[in-house]
Amino acid sequence: MPRKLLGIHLICRDGLNVQELGRGRFKSGYWIRISEQSASSAEYLALHNQKSLPSYKQGIIESYERLNDDENRIIFYVKATPEPREWVGLGTGEKGYSWSED
């Protein structure tokens, strides 16, 4: 069975471009170079100030949108959850992906 993308972890220092929407929801953007497939299949989003710290904001991805003026950028709409998540992902970039086991 192929692996499934469970979550996306992003470095988002001090809530940059995070907007509270009320009723426990927020949006986070303007993320670059996240594929349409990743955006549509990931279950959760976790925002971190740095990789060595748990997320300060996280939740279930409800939807996303591509910006009309820049198709490389995505905004996520998220229902917040209370439990911080540890950073997941390899490499030196500012995003990491959590995958199901093989």
Side-chain angles (χ1 to χ4, degrees):
M1 183 190 298
R3 295 188 316 163
K4 178 181 178 354
L5 179 59
L6 300 175
I8 301 172
H9 291 253
L10 299 166
I11 298 296
C12 179
R13 290 181 181 87
D14 303 319
L16 180 65
N17 295 319
V18 174
Q19 180 182 354
E20 297 295 333
L21 301 174
R23 297 186 358 216
R25 289 172 168 73
F26 67 94
K27 73 178 186 175
S28 175
Y30 307 85
W31 300 105
I32 192 165
R33 294 187 186 99
I34 295 177
S35 74
E36 195 87 19
Q37 182 178 0
S38 294
S40 65
S41 63
E43 296 174 6
Y44 73 84
L45 182 73
L47 304 178
H48 300 256
N49 276 315
Q50 55 191 35
K51 292 179 183 180
S52 62
L53 297 175
S55 60
Y56 64 86
K57 196 157 198 71
Q58 59 283 320
I60 305 304
I61 297 171
E62 295 188 317
S63 63
Y64 70 94
E65 69 177 320
R66 288 252 179 230
L67 292 178
N68 290 335
D69 59 338
D70 187 343
E71 293 183 15
N72 286 326
R73 295 193 180 268
I74 284 184
I75 296 173
F76 287 102
Y77 293 86
V78 181
K79 180 177 181 183
T81 57
E83 290 299 317
R85 294 180 177 264
E86 296 297 321
W87 180 268
V88 176
L90 303 173
T92 59
E94 294 196 333
K95 66 182 161 215
Y97 295 100
S98 174
W99 296 92
S100 65
E101 298 295 320
D102 288 335

